[in-house]
Amino acid sequence: TESTRFASVKRIVEQDLGRPISEVFRSFEEEPLASASVAQVHRAVLKTGEEVAVKVQKPGVDQVLQADLGFLYIAARTLEFLSPELARTSLVDIVAEIRTSMLSELDFNQELRNLETFRNFLDKNGLQSKAAAPRPFPEASSKKVLTMELFKGVPLIDLEGIRGYSKNPEATLINALNVWALSVRGCEIFHADVHAGNLLVLEDGRVGFIDFGIVGSVPPAIWSAVEGVTIAFVANDPQGMAQNLIAMGATGKVDEAALAKDIASVLARIAGLETEVVLRGTGDGRVRAQVALDDEQVTELLLEVVRVTDQNGLKLPREFALLVKQALYFDRYNKLLAPDLDPLRDARVNLGTSIAGSGSIASSDVIDV
């Protein structure tokens, strides 16, 4: 995504923090480390000496998003009114989820609270040696500016880069999966956007979770069905998935056999996805192998799952869409980094079922890398 000029970035930072940029930061790099549709990230050093990443919201993005997403939501509600048959589908719920998620991304104060919540979860359960989330700096943050610890590492799909930081990439993947799954059950929030850019292997071998703009939480009422769907998905069991999906979102009589047949076709598509290794040049003239992970392909599969459930008479809770998308990402990471790993039968993998009501986690849920 095209980046915003530094003059605009500097103006936003100073206006939102209420101070000149030189009073907050010892240095602030003009070229962004990364740029997306909502914000861009700059490397900086605080006056107190900490090296940080500063996420700055792009100018005018809030007005554009609110107008566009408001129109999209109204259009979906209108379609539902004109066609009552749509009322039993998840169309409006999906649009509402997109709208809620994207608008929540505009408030960096909320993302800061999300970071603190996830970091507390890691600390409470003794997981800091296996996973990390950036430390936020509230005194240098605001609604449109988020200053946090700068993580140094490589994306989870950088095959060669991972080997430089982890002796056992498979174990690193298992730790990422275990920590995320445990957070779904044992934390107030779970990371709901675990694409490759948001999962890093840090220089010390830990898994780094970044960008907590989109998070989710699972209502207790549907937890049992969610667990059942997860286990059935990993086991490639369409019948089991159908039974648990019906328990989660049936709005009337559902043909379980027909639903299972449709789910089987979706699982076949997922199993048939090909892994592509891409060779990319680095700045020092070396060539590095990375795995191509198509975000659009993952989204397309998610929409296919929603379509199958809709046409079979199910109206699923919006949180389920978030979970399915993350499950699809981890399924791809499994195939890329540990193709021989069976998450359902490997004793090292814990899909979140060991968390008791107290939120305690067994030490065996994470492994050395």
Side-chain angles (χ1 to χ4, degrees):
T1 305
E2 185 177 350
S3 60
T4 299
R5 291 184 308 135
F6 181 69
S8 297
V9 170
K10 183 173 181 287
R11 183 173 64 252
I12 291 170
V13 171
E14 293 185 336
Q15 286 178 349
D16 226 46
L17 296 183
R19 289 170 286 169
I21 201 169
S22 58
E23 287 188 8
V24 183
F25 302 99
R26 182 185 298 173
S27 63
F28 196 108
E29 292 189 5
E30 296 190 10
E31 285 297 315
L33 291 171
S35 178
S37 56
V38 171
Q40 60 191 52
V41 179
H42 292 257
R43 184 194 299 261
V45 178
L46 288 169
K47 281 286 191 178
T48 47
E50 293 91 348
E51 200 170 2
V52 294
V54 185
K55 184 176 180 179
V56 183
Q57 192 172 123
K58 292 186 174 181
V61 71
D62 49 350
Q63 294 96 331
V64 173
L65 266 182
Q66 289 190 47
D68 288 353
L69 292 172
F71 173 78
L72 184 62
Y73 181 70
I74 291 171
R77 291 299 300 269
T78 302
L79 282 172
E80 185 180 73
F81 175 77
L82 294 174
S83 177
E85 179 67 14
L86 287 174
R88 70 169 179 80
T89 73
S90 306
L91 173 63
V92 172
D93 288 341
I94 294 169
V95 172
E97 172 57 35
I98 293 172
R99 182 172 182 265
T100 301
S101 296
M102 295 198 71
L103 290 180
S104 68
E105 281 193 88
L106 298 176
D107 185 359
F108 292 174
N109 286 319
Q110 182 58 55
E111 183 172 350
L112 186 149
R113 290 190 288 272
N114 293 340
L115 274 170
E116 291 178 331
T117 297
F118 194 81
R119 284 170 56 83
N120 287 339
F121 159 75
L122 295 177
D123 181 59
K124 178 182 176 182
N125 292 285
L127 299 171
Q128 314 96 315
S129 64
K130 303 302 175 186
R135 170 193 170 193
F137 292 85
E139 66 279 7
S141 300
S142 57
K143 185 174 182 179
K144 296 184 178 181
V145 179
L146 175 59
T147 300
M148 55 200 147
E149 175 186 3
L150 178 67
F151 272 1
K152 298 178 181 179
V154 296
L156 197 61
I157 57 171
D158 186 339
L159 302 180
E160 187 174 333
I162 291 174
R163 293 189 183 100
Y165 301 143
S166 170
K167 294 176 291 186
N168 188 342
E170 180 178 271
T172 300
L173 169 65
I174 292 172
N175 281 340
L177 176 57
N178 282 347
V179 170
W180 180 82
L182 291 167
S183 74
V184 172
R185 184 68 180 265
C187 185
E188 296 172 37
I189 59 166
F190 63 86
H191 196 303
D193 194 21
V194 293
H195 67 71
N198 288 340
L199 282 182
L200 304 178
V201 180
L202 305 180
E203 291 178 338
D204 59 7
R206 292 183 299 165
V207 178
F209 290 80
I210 64 173
D211 193 351
F212 281 76
I214 301 178
V215 298
S217 61
V218 179
I222 67 168
W223 220 151
S224 177
V226 167
E227 283 185 336
V229 169
T230 302
I231 292 171
F233 173 74
V234 174
N236 197 36
D237 174 14
Q239 194 71 39
M241 287 187 68
Q243 292 171 353
N244 285 282
L245 286 170
I246 290 171
M248 191 187 306
T251 56
K253 187 171 178 58
V254 177
D255 185 336
E256 184 180 308
L259 175 59
K261 182 178 179 181
D262 289 342
I263 291 173
S265 67
V266 176
L267 292 177
R269 282 191 59 196
I270 294 172
L273 292 177
E274 294 294 329
T275 299
E276 181 184 0
V277 178
V278 179
L279 299 179
R280 302 187 189 280
T282 61
D284 57 7
R286 294 183 300 143
V287 175
R288 173 165 285 176
Q290 289 190 353
V291 178
L293 190 66
D294 191 341
D295 285 353
E296 291 184 6
Q297 197 173 49
V298 171
T299 301
E300 181 184 337
L301 285 169
L302 170 62
L303 293 175
E304 180 69 10
V305 171
V306 172
R307 183 190 66 77
V308 163
T309 56
D310 279 350
Q311 72 182 17
N312 281 277
L314 298 179
K315 188 174 183 179
L316 300 175
R318 64 187 182 91
E319 295 85 2
F320 182 71
L322 289 174
L323 284 171
V324 170
K325 188 166 186 178
Q326 312 323 304
L328 289 171
Y329 278 126
F330 275 113
D331 181 67
R332 299 307 298 141
Y333 299 146
N334 190 165
K335 289 180 170 63
L336 304 174
L337 299 175
D340 296 326
L341 175 69
D342 184 343
L344 191 63
R345 296 173 178 82
D346 195 307
R348 297 171 298 171
V349 178
N350 186 314
L351 296 178
T353 56
S354 74
I355 297 186
S358 63
S360 61
I361 298 176
S363 59
S364 60
D365 292 335
V366 289
I367 55 181
D368 293 325
V369 296

